[in-house]
Amino acid sequence: MKKLTLDSVPPELLHLIPGFLERREKDVADLRFFLALGDYVAIKDIGHRLKGTGTGYGFSMISELGKDLEAAAALEDFLQVSTCIEQLKVLTGSLKYCLTSAA
């Protein structure tokens, strides 16, 4: 994985990043809940949303992860969905670290 930075975030959006990352943490919790229920439709919806919003904030890797999550949910692939959730958790934590280190 390439080194994470906030360089890809448009300067006019930097003040929105803390809220964006908080919502991703909520997504992780929601995804875990929906996976436990076997609600792949809800998981697919979250993946689709991530696919659409990540790049807009300068995080193409979140969009790619959303695409992978959406595809895994469509196949009801428990293991791959679990992997995507963990990747989103790690990625969000790493980006939060970059944000606090840049402050």
Side-chain angles (χ1 to χ4, degrees), residues 40-103:
Y40 290 97
V41 171
I43 293 167
K44 186 177 174 191
D45 289 345
I46 292 172
H48 184 77
R49 187 169 31 83
L50 290 172
K51 182 174 76 172
T53 60
T55 302
Y57 282 87
F59 301 123
S60 60
M61 67 289 260
I62 288 180
S63 289
E64 282 298 314
L65 190 53
K67 180 179 142 192
D68 293 345
L69 181 62
E70 186 179 21
L75 296 172
E76 297 188 6
D77 185 336
F78 182 91
L79 184 58
Q80 187 59 35
V81 168
S82 298
T83 299
C84 288
I85 294 169
E86 184 60 25
Q87 288 173 340
L88 180 60
K89 176 184 174 257
V90 169
L91 181 57
T92 300
S94 297
L95 289 169
K96 281 185 82 169
Y97 178 78
C98 287
L99 186 64
T100 57
S101 296

Side-chain angles (χ1 to χ4, degrees), residues 25-38:
E25 288 177 328
K26 182 177 180 328
D27 286 340
V28 169
D30 290 347
L31 287 163
R32 287 178 173 159
F33 176 76
F34 292 133
L35 185 59
L37 293 177

